[in-house]
Amino acid sequence: MNANEFLEFCKWAGIAGASVGGAVGVYRASRAVYDDIAKRILYWKDAQLNLAGKKRRLIESFIEHDSNGMLPVIYDRERGIFLNANTNAMWDVVSSRVNQAIDEQMRPIREKIYAQQRVLASMAGLKPNTTTQAILEQPEQIKELPGMIAIADLFRGTRPTINNLVLGVSQGGTVTRSLPLLMHTLAVGSSGWGKSKFLHSLIWQIAQAQEPVSVVLIDCSGSAFNCCANWDKLRYPIARTMPQASAVLCEILTEIARRRELYGQYPQVENLAEYTQAASADLEPIVIMADESTAMLGKKSPIGGELGEISQTARQYGIYLLIAGQSAKANLIDTATRDNFTSRLAFHVPSNSSAVVLDDRRAVSIRERGRAWAALWGEPELLELQTPFVTKDELIAVMTTGAAANTMPAPAQPEQPTGQDVVELWESLPEKTIAGFCRALFPGRPAAGKNWQRAKVLLEQENLL
Ligand SMILES: Nc1ncnc2c1ncn2[C@@H]1O[C@H](COP(=O)(O)OP(=O)(O)O)[C@@H](O)[C@H]1O
Ligand SMILES: [Mg+2]
């Protein structure tokens, strides 16, 4: 591309106006530096994005990696084509030809750029349909997160993956975590502030991810998961009662024991990725989502023991807990239990719950639905997030449904509970878990929960050991 072509290109791309005159001027002054088209465009980006740091970071975080980092001009390196998303014209670098008709391959990229523009415009307090140019020229800092971000707007043209789950949008841009980095997650919020939607937004992503993953859903008091009842990624039917929740969690503990055994064959293996590599075999990650369930973490909960055990041991076996609920009072969730949850979000909650979950009271003043303060692993500061909004129809549309092949595991009774295996498994469990297990099994006999030796005797009496 020669100098004239470059100027023509700038004109076509809408970057030759007064706000970017400098870019063209400097290009003329030291053309040799900008030999390579990518460098010129990057230079343009530098000149154009002469913005306050926060806004600039925000904009950059929205830009596609495989584009050349430009708004509104997108560069398809493979084909040597630039797309101006504002005018829908394409510029072919090789032939220097402009084509006004956008082609199929560019369409999803353009859709994504449009979506990003909408999010940016709303963050910058501009009207919808504002062009990127106007966003870039907005002098003041971005003031506020938008009140609503449609999930589809964050994903246009890209497929969700469990390696990059979107949690929400912060002032710094989209906040994502891979499933192993998200690890166990605790989300609290008073009724009606967005907990279930947040779980839905993750289900929406997991449903479309191509990686294998299986999901366990527990909701003993609400109906948030009803629309997922026939989802083919469910490991069991939705657990809707305490005995069912107990049965599925016991089965998960058995799965943890099975995985522990499998890992045992490879001394170096410490996590799912390493196991998959060492054994050349796939073990699916399992995500356990429990809505309206923070009370289950408490000491008095019949399944508190199982949840505690899972939160302590499961993550290295690729099994992750995501628990949402209304309350996280200190008498319900102690610090040790809380600290097993490495990602913690608080939607609008009373002060004591905010303090327990975040060590900070700022979730009290949240006034937007779907807004949360998050303490995320590896993040030194709390992050304010607007979590994505997903409608039930959108959720249903992405979920493939399966036959009712899954059946609920038998209620919390070990199958054929005799023999060495069971005794070994039993003895490998912490006393807390055994006590919880016995409480669920013998609800009328509280003594069983207090002392595990007595619980064992009780089990023996019942011929269960
Ligand atoms: N991320 C969000 N963005 C915008 N509005 C939301 C969001 N999440 C929830 N809401 C609004 O709040 C209502 C309650 O959300 P929901 O997730 O059911 O709350 P909870 O489970 O905490 O009781 C929703 O029907 C919706 O109108
Ligand atoms: Mg809910």
Side-chain angles (χ1 to χ4, degrees), residues 195-196 224 291-292:
K195 300 177 300 287
S196 301
D291 199 5
E292 298 295 349

Side-chain angles (χ1 to χ4, degrees), residues 147-148 190-197 292 369-370 386-389:
M148 191 178 93
S190 301
S191 187
W193 290 90
K195 300 177 300 287
S196 301
K197 284 273 178 229
E292 298 295 349
R369 299 191 190 273
Q386 182 65 27
T387 56
F389 183 83

Side-chain angles (χ1 to χ4, degrees), residues 257-334:
R258 185 181 81 88
R259 292 187 178 197
R260 187 181 292 135
E261 193 113 312
L262 289 171
Y263 280 23
Q265 299 163 21
Y266 305 93
Q268 306 298 332
V269 164
E270 283 178 8
N271 60 42
L272 199 62
E274 288 171 7
Y275 175 80
T276 312
Q277 204 178 20
S280 309
D282 278 338
L283 271 184
E284 283 181 344
I286 301 174
V287 180
I288 304 166
M289 287 192 192
D291 199 5
E292 298 295 349
S293 295
T294 37
M296 291 183 193
L297 288 166
K299 290 194 184 70
K300 293 193 185 138
S301 152
I303 58 171
E306 284 89 337
L307 284 172
E309 165 79 346
I310 292 172
S311 67
Q312 276 164 36
T313 59
R315 71 174 62 118
Q316 70 190 105
Y317 301 105
I319 298 175
Y320 308 103
L321 276 177
L322 212 160
I323 297 195
Q326 292 184 25
S327 178
K329 292 182 189 130
N331 61 1
L332 195 64
I333 300 180
D334 57 30

Side-chain angles (χ1 to χ4, degrees), residues 136-150:
L136 297 178
E137 283 164 3
Q138 261 292 66
E140 79 268 36
Q141 294 255 335
I142 287 162
K143 291 171 239 109
E144 280 209 359
L145 287 171
M148 191 178 93
I149 297 175

Side-chain angles (χ1 to χ4, degrees), residues 348-384:
H348 177 82
V349 268
S351 144
N352 47 5
S353 290
S354 177
V356 166
V357 172
L358 303 173
D359 276 334
D360 188 293
R361 296 184 191 272
R362 69 186 92 163
V364 179
S365 42
I366 292 175
R367 291 288 172 267
E368 302 277 350
R369 299 191 190 273
R371 180 72 50 88
W373 281 101
L376 300 178
W377 189 80
E379 202 70 53
E381 304 284 340
L382 293 182
L383 276 179
E384 188 182 18

Side-chain angles (χ1 to χ4, degrees), residues 69-347:
M70 290 157 296
L71 286 169
V73 183
I74 311 151
Y75 181 37
D76 180 340
R77 269 176 206 277
E78 252 167 51
R79 297 195 299 154
I81 287 179
F82 287 88
L83 166 78
N84 182 333
N86 283 346
T87 61
N88 281 335
M90 298 203 302
W91 168 279
D92 185 329
V93 177
V94 180
S95 67
S96 268
R97 281 224 311 271
V98 174
N99 186 348
Q100 287 299 335
I102 177 171
D103 71 12
E104 284 306 317
Q105 289 183 54
M106 281 297 195
R107 204 177 296 277
I109 304 179
R110 183 193 60 180
E111 289 307 311
K112 180 157 186 179
I113 293 292
Y114 280 170
Q116 290 168 347
Q117 286 183 2
R118 282 200 292 280
V119 174
L120 285 169
S122 125
M123 292 175 92
L126 300 176
K127 286 196 209 82
N129 300 327
T130 307
T131 63
T132 309
Q133 198 70 24
I135 296 169
L136 297 178
E137 283 164 3
Q138 261 292 66
E140 79 268 36
Q141 294 255 335
I142 287 162
K143 291 171 239 109
E144 280 209 359
L145 287 171
M148 191 178 93
I149 297 175
I151 196 160
D153 278 353
L154 295 170
F155 282 93
R156 283 193 207 274
T158 43
R159 183 172 186 168
T161 153
I162 61 167
N163 300 322
N164 216 14
L165 291 167
V166 172
L167 305 181
V169 174
S170 76
Q171 294 254 341
T174 318
V175 176
T176 63
R177 287 287 184 278
S178 69
L179 188 55
L181 266 190
L182 191 61
M183 298 185 279
H184 302 318
T185 304
L186 183 63
V188 299
S190 301
S191 187
W193 290 90
K195 300 177 300 287
S196 301
K197 284 273 178 229
F198 173 64
L199 296 181
H200 283 180
S201 74
L202 293 169
I203 293 175
W204 186 90
Q205 296 176 60
I206 293 171
Q208 294 171 85
Q210 65 183 13
E211 302 88 13
V213 52
S214 86
V215 179
V216 176
L217 296 179
I218 299 174
D219 188 351
C220 297
S221 46
S223 55
F225 295 142
N226 285 2
C227 57
C228 312
N230 297 318
W231 186 17
D232 67 352
K233 293 200 173 175
L234 291 192
R235 189 174 168 93
Y236 326 104
I238 300 168
R240 296 179 193 282
T241 62
M242 210 49 118
Q244 286 176 350
S246 169
V248 302
L249 294 179
C250 282
E251 204 277 343
I252 291 291
L253 286 172
T254 313
E255 176 65 12
I256 291 173
R258 185 181 81 88
R259 292 187 178 197
R260 187 181 292 135
E261 193 113 312
L262 289 171
Y263 280 23
Q265 299 163 21
Y266 305 93
Q268 306 298 332
V269 164
E270 283 178 8
N271 60 42
L272 199 62
E274 288 171 7
Y275 175 80
T276 312
Q277 204 178 20
S280 309
D282 278 338
L283 271 184
E284 283 181 344
I286 301 174
V287 180
I288 304 166
M289 287 192 192
D291 199 5
E292 298 295 349
S293 295
T294 37
M296 291 183 193
L297 288 166
K299 290 194 184 70
K300 293 193 185 138
S301 152
I303 58 171
E306 284 89 337
L307 284 172
E309 165 79 346
I310 292 172
S311 67
Q312 276 164 36
T313 59
R315 71 174 62 118
Q316 70 190 105
Y317 301 105
I319 298 175
Y320 308 103
L321 276 177
L322 212 160
I323 297 195
Q326 292 184 25
S327 178
K329 292 182 189 130
N331 61 1
L332 195 64
I333 300 180
D334 57 30
T335 322
T337 308
R338 182 204 70 178
D339 288 346
N340 282 323
F341 291 83
T342 37
S343 307
R344 301 191 297 270
L345 285 84
F347 295 85

